[in-house]
Amino acid sequence: LNFHWVFSHEDKKPDSNQHYSDDDDALNESEVNGNWTPQEKALHEARLKAKAKRRLRKSSSRNSTSDSFSESGDMGGVDPHSPKSKVLPNDRKSRMGKGRGLPKKGGAGGKGVWGAAGMVYEVEEPDIRDPNYDESSQGDTVYAKVVPEIDEKELEKMVNPIVQEYFEHGDTKEVELLLKELNLGHHKYEFSSMAVSLSLEGKASHRELTSRLLSDLTNKMMSQSEMARAFDKMLKELPDLILDTPEAPLVSQFIARAIADHVLPMSFLDCYKGKVDCEHARVALDRATVLLSMKKEVVRLDNVWGVGGGLRPVKHLIKEMNLLLKEYLISGDVAEAERCLRDLEVPHFHHELVYEAVVMVLEASGDNAGQMMMKLLQSFWKSGLVTIDQMNRGFQRVYDELPEISLDVPHAHTIMEGFVDLCFQEAVITKQLRDACPSRGRKRFVSEGDGGIIKN
């Protein structure tokens, strides 16, 4: 009730919004004790304490904490009116009442500050994610082509067409350029094993081309260790390879040729002595050892695959074709003759076979040779082994040399006309080629009594 009465006094009611000056704060002790009641005195002291607390919160004194007042409410020896309690505008000390009172960041922080004294900044690389990054100011831009590494599943799809095309053109530099465009990565050695596997499915000429390819790629695209790794993989997979390719045991010849060409190290065979459990691999290694011992004085085993295709001399090919035709005239086996012609692997030289066959018909004594040669050429034509271009070139060569052949065979023109008509009837040659056959004109004279007048 007394407290309520104190606040109901209009003359002495304190106003929370009223600002007291320094004169009001310096009240005379005698005035307080003489004119104020005890309740008013207690209220006045509480107001002074609250004002002192507000000033302490704004001060930057390092000793200004929440414990600066004692339980009795007395200030801990800090004068709120001291100049030290005022906040300086450039003061860098903490105003939270924490820390040791040292400047922030060692004096290296704040507005307009470039770091601590004596600090040397290094040149920083421009960050491409920086909003102020200027690409044009960084010099010439270089764009590099990044080729991803080929997966093992895609490797076979990429390598097979390259090897098959190489079997057609035989240019090792072209293969090297194509391989450089591919990122084979750690699957690089598998190219050699795939090339050897494909050549085993093909002809002897393909194996010769593969041996040359491995020799040219060594020390350019692949090292000897990578080649050795490829052949080691083939030896391990030899049992499965034989099931798909009956010619797989020929890996021994590849090994011997590779060692002779310095594709594989000389110690390759020594690494497998007494360490091979597979019977097929052991036979292949033993055969390679025998081939190397036989050809010790030869630098390269050039004839390990034989000489095939267009690599053989022309005289040798002509001799082989003559032998083929003579054997056919004796045996009459068209299938065997066709197989022998395919083994020669010279489709661009088949016109020579046609030429030799027609010349044999002209030089033969009976009509049987003409019938047999017609059947042989007809078989070659129907199977597509001899093309129309090669057939025309063979006959045209005989047409051009018929005057010289007539010196040895007087009836060559007559025999040629009969053989050409027979081939045309059996659809071996075209009508245009038949009409191009030359015929020797004969001048027939009347009897001696007619005065030598030539009959028209």
Side-chain angles (χ1 to χ4, degrees), residues 166 192 213:
Y166 168 69
S192 303
L213 178 63

Side-chain angles (χ1 to χ4, degrees), residues 256 259-260 266 269 285-298 301:
I259 294 176
M266 299 299 294
L269 296 176
L285 292 172
D286 292 342
R287 187 177 180 187
T289 305
V290 172
L291 289 173
L292 288 173
S293 61
M294 292 172 57
K295 302 289 184 178
K296 239 177 185 180
E297 298 179 357
V298 180
L301 294 173

Side-chain angles (χ1 to χ4, degrees), residues 2 9 18 60 69 72 77 132 176 196 198 208 244 247 299 308 314 329 338 341 343 364 393 406 408 418 442:
N2 294 334
H9 251 263
Q18 182 178 0
S60 60
F69 296 103
S72 60
N132 297 325
E176 184 178 350
V196 173
L198 291 174
E208 173 65 24
D244 300 330
E247 302 292 338
V299 179
V314 175
L329 290 176
E338 185 175 345
L341 183 60
D343 290 343
R393 287 184 62 184
S406 300
D408 299 328
R442 293 175 295 173

